[in-house]
Amino acid sequence: MPSDENYVKNAPSFGSLGLIPLKSIEELGNKVDKYLVGWRAKRDTNYDEILRQGYKLDSYIVEASVPRFGSGEAKGTLGQSIRGLDLFIMVDITNYSLTYSLCGHTNHMSPDDHYSDLKRIIAAVGGKARRITVIMPFLYESRQHRRSSRESLDCALALQELVSMGVTNIITFDAHDPRVQNAIPLYGFETVQPSYQFVKGILNNVDDLQIDPEHLMVVSPDEGATDRAVYLAGVLGVDMGMFYKRRDYSKIVDGRNPIVAHEFLGSDVEGKDVFIVDDMISSGESMIDVATELKKRNAGRIFVISTFGLFTNGLEKFDKAYEEGLIYRLVTTNLTYQTPELLEREYYINCDMSKYIAIIVDTLNHDCSISDLLNPYDRIKKFVKEYKAKQK
């Protein structure tokens, strides 16, 4: 439960809380709602009776749906009034498990479908909410964040479209390139790192890690993930290494230049446990290649860590890598859709982000600063200290 001092002093100045988790993120949204209900039920507030009436509720979830016609077209609908609410809309644009009927055929929902549904709900709000915050863990089109030739700038266009519809703040996690926020410089944009949840999840599942430069190392699988690895290595007080991908720029395969080789920059990894940290696992080929290269250099146990586990080509490669001893643990969050098969894997560690999201929502609704929440340095240090104390 978060510290209540600031919450008691600051009444929700942007109206009563409303939470709309779209169907794509319903399970995570229900967990967030449960935390909010529990915290506020125990909180001794000094707000006047008018404010208090909408402060302690059995649920903050607003009834909303996106029914579809047989042609595949859809509309956003709200089942209750949202006038004056401080509205938080949650969506997972990667959830391909949802389907709808398209002229008699079963069609799996794509990121474009989920993004359109988000806009439909915002349109249904019709400007009646006091404020709209969108929580989109995997930022829509974040991999198309810059132009390298005659290309569309999809992520920037999407952000501008959302703010033009009345969205005030956008909360995302581990954005592929945070600089995309330059597309909306006058609006709120926060990219949150789940570093604390990674450390907590691993240390709760593995009791014999030695967290020091002689026994542990953090590795970035490419130059784009360097900042994440530098931060985690700095907090843990260990060394950091990096691979860079040598590509064949004369060819394009599946929309990208194929990787020729992975080159390593860093100190010796022999005998050390290794954390490979990245923002997403798509097909998983790059992570497996990096793990293979580390094993060639006689690395110890390898932990593959990623905010988003998409696994677009299934889990067979990771099953094989685990059986062959290439990887020791696979760590991702529940910010994107997780298949039942993934959750059953003995090598998988699931980092639940619902409590963290609930704290962010609760803090923003009270118009308090979330800067401390965005920097988990002290929390990681405290958790590691307690972990080391248990080992003695």
Side-chain angles (χ1 to χ4, degrees):
M1 183 174 177
S3 174
D4 288 342
E5 182 180 353
N6 288 332
Y7 299 131
V8 172
K9 288 192 298 184
N10 296 293
S13 56
F14 285 95
S16 298
L17 176 61
L19 187 67
I20 301 182
L22 298 188
K23 196 172 182 180
S24 60
I25 202 168
E26 198 169 39
E27 182 178 351
L28 182 60
N30 288 333
K31 289 182 179 180
V32 171
D33 181 56
K34 189 175 180 180
Y35 276 115
L36 292 168
V37 170
W39 293 336
R40 294 192 173 199
K42 299 174 183 177
R43 191 170 291 155
D44 184 19
T45 61
N46 298 317
Y47 316 142
D48 60 44
E49 186 60 33
I50 296 176
L51 275 176
R52 204 177 300 127
Q53 286 176 1
Y55 189 78
K56 298 184 178 183
L57 301 176
D58 294 332
S59 176
Y60 299 97
I61 293 180
V62 175
E63 184 182 343
S65 62
V66 186
R68 289 186 178 271
F69 304 100
S71 62
E73 297 168 294
K75 62 179 178 180
T77 64
L78 300 173
Q80 65 189 77
S81 172
I82 44 79
R83 187 177 295 276
L85 291 184
D86 186 11
L87 208 54
F88 292 80
I89 306 176
M90 300 175 62
V91 61
D92 173 16
I93 60 105
T94 68
N95 192 341
Y96 62 89
S97 71
L98 301 181
T99 61
Y100 61 91
S101 177
L102 177 60
C103 298
H105 300 279
T106 299
N107 204 38
H108 284 264
M109 290 189 69
S110 70
D112 291 344
D113 291 320
H114 289 299
Y115 177 65
S116 294
D117 283 357
L118 170 65
K119 291 192 293 182
R120 291 181 176 110
I121 292 299
I122 296 172
V125 171
K128 303 301 189 298
R130 187 76 61 84
R131 181 176 67 172
I132 298 176
T133 299
V134 168
I135 300 177
M136 186 186 296
F138 189 97
L139 187 61
Y140 177 67
E141 291 289 2
S142 59
R143 298 172 81 173
Q144 186 53 26
H145 61 283
R146 64 183 179 187
R147 178 179 286 150
S148 57
S149 62
R150 290 184 288 274
E151 298 175 338
S152 57
L153 282 170
D154 297 56
C155 190
L157 284 172
L159 293 177
Q160 291 177 350
E161 188 174 22
L162 289 177
V163 299
S164 71
M165 294 182 72
V167 175
T168 305
N169 298 306
I170 297 171
I171 308 292
T172 190
F173 285 78
D174 208 348
H176 195 62
D177 189 337
R179 289 173 295 183
V180 75
Q181 67 186 291
N182 293 336
I184 50 169
L186 301 181
Y187 295 86
F189 181 97
E190 300 292 348
T191 175
V192 186
Q193 296 289 338
S195 304
Y196 172 70
Q197 284 73 20
F198 287 151
V199 173
K200 182 178 179 182
I202 293 171
L203 299 190
N204 279 339
N205 283 272
V206 181
D207 58 8
D208 61 346
L209 270 174
Q210 292 181 269
I211 306 174
D212 57 55
E214 289 74 35
H215 299 92
L216 181 64
M217 189 172 184
V218 179
V219 168
S220 170
D222 55 41
E223 58 275 19
T226 303
D227 288 346
R228 302 176 187 89
V230 167
Y231 178 82
L232 190 57
V235 176
L236 295 177
V238 300
D239 290 335
M240 176 261 178
M242 185 194 86
F243 281 89
Y244 74 90
K245 299 172 183 175
R246 190 148 50 85
R247 296 180 180 271
D248 182 355
Y249 289 98
S250 66
K251 302 176 183 177
I252 295 179
V253 179
D254 295 331
R256 59 183 179 177
N257 303 109
I259 299 170
V260 177
H262 289 83
E263 306 290 352
F264 183 67
L265 302 174
S267 58
D268 189 10
V269 298
E270 184 173 358
K272 296 180 182 178
D273 292 330
V274 178
F275 290 176
I276 307 175
V277 185
D278 207 354
D279 60 335
M280 74 176 78
I281 297 173
S282 186
S283 66
E285 291 180 5
S286 180
M287 285 293 206
I288 299 298
D289 289 344
V290 168
T292 302
E293 292 295 325
L294 288 169
K295 280 297 183 181
K296 288 179 181 177
R297 293 166 172 80
N298 299 317
R301 295 175 296 183
I302 295 178
F303 296 76
V304 174
I305 305 169
S306 179
T307 305
F308 307 109
L310 305 182
F311 306 109
T312 56
N313 292 349
L315 296 170
E316 289 75 16
K317 291 180 181 178
F318 286 94
D319 292 341
K320 184 179 179 182
Y322 176 67
E323 291 169 4
E324 295 175 350
L326 282 180
I327 66 171
Y328 179 70
R329 290 290 183 269
L330 173 63
V331 187
T332 71
T333 71
N334 62 341
L335 292 171
T336 52
Y337 171 68
Q338 298 167 301
T339 63
E341 293 78 20
L342 174 64
L343 297 173
E344 291 171 358
R345 295 299 195 268
E346 63 178 349
Y347 58 83
Y348 178 65
I349 297 176
N350 176 30
C351 299
D352 184 11
M353 300 297 295
S354 58
K355 185 176 181 180
Y356 195 16
I357 295 175
I359 294 174
I360 291 173
V361 170
D362 203 19
T363 304
L364 289 176
N365 182 236
H366 285 82
D367 201 25
C368 296
S369 172
I370 63 171
S371 58
D372 290 340
L373 298 176
L374 300 180
N375 185 4
Y377 179 87
D378 292 333
R379 282 175 288 154
I380 294 175
K381 282 289 190 183
K382 179 181 178 183
F383 199 87
V384 169
K385 184 179 180 181
E386 293 172 352
Y387 178 80
K388 289 181 176 179
K390 291 177 183 177
Q391 291 179 320
K392 294 180 179 178

